[in-house]
Amino acid sequence: MAMVLLWTLLWISGYYHRLAAETVLVQYKYFLSVEGQGVSLLAPAETNGTEFIWEWTSHDGSYTNTPIITIQSDGTFSWNLWKASISKQGKYGIYLEPELQNAGVFTFIQTKPEKVKVAQFEVFTAEVKPSRWSSVKEGPDVTLSCEVSHLPDSAILDWERDREPTANTTLIYNNTAHIIIHSADRYSEGTYNCTLRWNRALIFSIPRTLQVYEGTYSTHHTLYRGSLNSSEVVLICRYPASYRTAYWQWEPSSGTNAIRVASADKYKNASISMEIDKERFSSERYDGSNFPLRISPVKFGDSGRYFCYFEHWLMATVTLVTVQVSAVPPGGLSRNQSVVLNCEISQVIRSVTLAWLRMKGGRGELVKQEVLSDGHPKKMLSLTLPILESRDQLHWACAVFTESMLRTQVPLHLTLPEPITEPEEPKPDNGRVLVIGLACTAAVCVGVLLLLGGLLFRRLKTAAGPSTLPAEGNGATDAVYSDVTDLQQGQVDGNGDSSAAAAVYSNVAELKKDQGNQDSHKEENESEELQYLIFSLSTPSLDPHRQQRRQLNPQSRSEQEENDKVVYASVCTT
């Protein structure tokens, strides 16, 4: 026993020693593309090898396990692929310039005297647009994007504010996290961080600080909103000085006449025009310097230009562009018919890109996109789905981009009818279900029906009076034998209820009494030609191997479970 324990300890020690020898140092690095500094990859110095190489697998897939440099222990080296430079911080280290094409996995391998993988570094490239955030006035949407060279499935790329995910993050698409800060005001100020977390570790956090100046005087900006029941837009109009009156005027993109949608006197509530939907348009109490206009929910027809005036001074101009999505047919979708997804934009200013994205969790996968130009009559992007093959095809979003920056995204969720299922048979009040299982061919099933009819007929004849047996030598068999005495006893022992059996079966003793006294030899001969109808009580099983025909064993009936619910039938012919 001591020797076994000793050998076990030695084996465990050797196993863990091998694990320690094969342990690879893994680190994650990042750099900002075209700004900031590059990164140094420092290999462990305490190695006993004489020759080493650096291999590279690029994030864009153009290179796989490609040697880039060979380094000897005496310090000499030779380049296989010019990708980096020798680092001054370590004996075998290399230095990468902050360029997008330098992202990927770098592996440091000892090649002599034996090949051993020593260290591995994954270098991410991050690019934030705009690279510098200038201060903005109140009112416009502020958009940001953060792109990484590679986004693993388990990694989380997000925008955070005060170390918490911000509700304004709208889309993760093409390894990029887009954020839209709607109608920026003084409450939108702060630091926003693009963060990448992988395996619960923070890979990087890139800050951007937003500063908003109060006031909208002489501003003109464009807002994009989806036409949804949950969407809203706030048009900001503010000026430090105080004015006696203010009003909003709307010029619909449909070309109809301008409408004064809201107006107010100083320190009074706004008056909403009767020409518009007063339930959706509202404004706060005008205080002489602040007069915002809220539209909730936003409808497709709300697009156009909105002008805010303090007395006769133009304080803000806002162009509202609306987007709506739909599916054809709108209802009654099925897996066997095609579906057309439509994304329509109210107007095109200069150039916009419409994209249909299939949503998988919080990420979008591009399926179709198209660039629309100003003046082009087409303002819609359609996508035809030939067949809905899985539930992964039910969640979509139409995204609107201008100059690669996200402006809005409108979700569209399809629904399929639930599969038709057969209704369950109603159960009796006493909780018992009568199921007749016939494991036989169609011909035998017909014979069972005839036997049941003969049984009922004989029962009626028995109740009416004595019956006669067929003459000897007759090949037809009219007698039906039912071993009810044992069956009823088994039911009483197993279920405590024999009334069901008593109502269906006739006692064999009554049949014998009606038929008269017969010698035992004659009964044995005739019994060989009799047909048996045997019923047994059993518990249903989900195992298909247990759903087989079983013969009733009188000696084991009392061992059946108390909750027997299925009545089993089998027919044996001789």
Side-chain angles (χ1 to χ4, degrees):
M1 183 65 182
M3 290 297 297
V4 173
L5 180 59
L6 177 61
W7 277 109
T8 302
L9 293 176
L10 290 175
W11 182 87
I12 294 176
S13 175
Y15 175 74
Y16 280 104
H17 178 74
R18 289 195 301 273
L19 282 183
E22 296 173 0
T23 300
V24 178
L25 173 66
V26 178
Q27 293 185 7
Y28 302 105
K29 303 280 187 175
Y30 87 97
F31 55 79
L32 292 174
S33 178
V34 199
E35 63 176 289
Q37 297 180 348
V39 296
S40 292
L41 307 182
L42 304 181
E46 55 277 3
T47 57
N48 297 322
T50 59
E51 183 181 87
F52 308 87
I53 64 170
W54 279 96
E55 286 186 350
W56 174 52
T57 297
S58 62
H59 277 165
D60 60 11
S62 57
Y63 294 89
T64 302
N65 297 330
T66 302
I68 60 176
I69 187 174
T70 302
I71 306 175
Q72 306 297 330
S73 58
D74 59 4
T76 59
F77 59 88
S78 61
W79 289 101
N80 304 94
L81 177 67
W82 188 264
K83 175 54 56 179
S85 60
I86 294 295
S87 176
K88 299 178 180 180
Q89 301 180 20
K91 183 176 181 180
Y92 303 111
I94 58 176
Y95 177 80
L96 302 176
E97 296 291 338
E99 298 177 0
L100 183 63
Q101 63 269 23
N102 286 341
V105 178
F106 294 81
T107 306
F108 182 67
I109 303 174
Q110 172 187 298
T111 55
K112 292 181 180 179
E114 59 180 352
K115 189 173 183 179
V116 178
K117 183 185 294 186
V118 180
Q120 182 172 288
F121 301 83
E122 181 150 11
V123 181
F124 295 89
T125 300
E127 186 174 9
V128 178
K129 294 181 180 180
S131 58
R132 290 290 183 267
W133 231 354
S134 59
S135 300
V136 299
K137 287 189 176 182
E138 285 186 290
D141 289 346
V142 177
T143 61
L144 279 171
S145 69
C146 179
E147 181 181 3
V148 293
S149 54
H150 174 57
L151 185 59
D153 291 337
S154 58
I156 299 176
L157 181 66
D158 207 348
W159 281 98
E160 298 180 357
R161 183 181 182 185
D162 298 329
R163 298 184 180 180
E164 295 292 336
T166 172
N168 288 311
T169 300
T170 56
L171 182 64
I172 307 297
Y173 158 66
N174 198 22
N175 294 347
T176 305
H178 296 272
I179 181 176
I180 302 177
I181 304 172
H182 289 154
S183 302
D185 58 14
R186 62 183 182 275
Y187 299 106
S188 306
E189 289 186 332
T191 300
Y192 296 79
N193 296 276
C194 174
T195 61
L196 177 64
R197 300 180 187 274
W198 191 17
N199 298 329
R200 299 182 179 181
L202 178 64
I203 306 301
F204 63 72
S205 179
I206 305 172
R208 286 293 183 268
T209 302
L210 174 62
Q211 185 176 6
V212 179
Y213 291 114
E214 290 189 6
T216 61
Y217 180 71
S218 297
T219 60
H220 184 189
H221 50 267
T222 302
L223 306 180
Y224 291 81
R225 292 294 185 272
S227 176
L228 294 169
N229 291 332
S230 59
S231 65
E232 72 169 22
V233 63
V234 178
L235 312 182
I236 298 178
C237 183
R238 189 196 305 271
Y239 191 73
S242 181
Y243 290 83
R244 184 175 57 86
T245 61
Y247 66 91
W248 279 96
Q249 183 169 299
W250 172 36
E251 292 181 356
S253 59
S254 59
T256 57
N257 295 332
I259 303 172
R260 182 174 291 194
V261 294
S263 58
D265 291 335
K266 189 175 181 179
Y267 302 125
K268 292 185 178 180
N269 294 330
S271 174
I272 306 300
S273 173
M274 298 294 293
E275 301 181 55
I276 61 174
D277 188 352
K278 300 180 65 173
E279 296 296 326
R280 297 189 300 109
F281 287 74
S282 63
S283 181
E284 300 175 358
R285 180 183 175 89
Y286 176 53
D287 61 2
S289 63
N290 183 31
F291 191 47
L293 178 66
R294 181 184 301 272
I295 308 174
S296 178
V298 176
K299 300 296 183 182
F300 187 70
D302 297 335
S303 64
R305 292 198 302 171
Y306 291 80
F307 305 91
C308 177
Y309 290 90
F310 283 179
E311 295 181 3
H312 61 280
W313 300 99
L314 180 61
M315 293 296 171
T317 302
V318 181
T319 299
L320 178 61
V321 179
T322 54
V323 182
Q324 67 178 0
V325 295
S326 61
V328 180
L333 301 179
S334 70
R335 292 178 175 85
N336 299 322
Q337 68 179 137
S338 62
V339 180
V340 179
L341 309 183
N342 293 320
C343 177
E344 183 178 4
I345 190 169
S346 61
Q347 62 187 107
V348 176
I349 301 176
R350 292 187 294 275
S351 176
V352 299
T353 300
L354 300 183
W356 272 113
L357 308 177
R358 179 166 53 199
M359 303 305 296
K360 295 182 178 181
R363 300 185 184 183
E365 177 183 300
L366 177 64
V367 177
K368 184 179 181 179
Q369 70 177 10
E370 187 172 349
V371 179
L372 306 181
S373 300
D374 188 10
H376 196 279
K378 185 178 180 181
K379 299 178 181 178
M380 180 182 295
L381 176 64
S382 298
L383 172 64
T384 300
L385 306 178
I387 186 172
L388 297 179
E389 299 177 351
S390 65
R391 295 194 175 274
D392 292 340
Q393 294 179 300
L394 299 181
H395 304 288
W396 298 85
C398 177
V400 179
F401 296 89
T402 63
E403 300 176 351
S404 75
M405 302 299 290
L406 179 69
R407 301 303 175 181
T408 189
Q409 61 118 358
V410 187
L412 176 62
H413 302 291
L414 305 178
T415 58
L416 288 175
E418 294 296 329
I420 300 176
T421 57
E422 294 293 333
E424 295 183 359
E425 296 182 1
K427 297 181 180 180
D429 293 340
N430 58 5
R432 296 183 180 276
V433 180
L434 180 63
V435 179
I436 300 179
L438 298 176
C440 58
T441 64
V444 178
C445 293
V446 173
V448 173
L449 296 177
L450 294 176
L451 289 174
L452 291 174
L455 176 61
L456 295 176
F457 177 74
R458 178 167 296 279
R459 177 60 179 163
L460 293 175
K461 291 183 62 178
T462 302
S467 60
T468 59
L469 290 173
E472 284 189 45
N474 191 348
T477 302
D478 295 334
V480 178
Y481 178 81
S482 180
D483 189 358
V484 179
T485 304
D486 291 341
L487 176 62
Q488 289 178 339
Q489 181 63 37
Q491 290 174 337
V492 171
D493 295 341
N495 302 333
D497 183 7
S498 62
S499 59
V504 178
Y505 305 104
S506 59
N507 193 307
V508 68
E510 293 183 6
L511 292 177
K512 291 182 179 180
K513 181 178 181 181
D514 292 340
Q515 294 168 352
N517 296 327
Q518 306 291 336
D519 58 79
S520 60
H521 178 73
K522 183 177 182 179
E523 287 181 354
E524 292 177 358
N525 293 336
E526 291 182 348
S527 65
E528 295 178 356
E529 299 179 351
L530 295 181
Q531 295 180 344
Y532 292 85
L533 181 63
I534 302 175
F535 289 80
S536 65
L537 297 174
S538 63
T539 302
S541 173
L542 297 178
D543 186 355
H545 299 291
R546 298 182 60 185
Q547 301 292 345
Q548 300 175 353
R549 181 179 298 131
R550 298 180 296 171
Q551 296 294 337
L552 180 64
N553 183 2
Q555 296 179 356
S556 63
R557 293 171 186 146
S558 61
E559 299 175 1
Q560 297 176 1
E561 298 178 2
E562 294 184 358
N563 296 325
D564 291 337
K565 296 183 178 180
V566 178
V567 177
Y568 174 84
S570 63
V571 177
C572 299
T573 59
T574 58

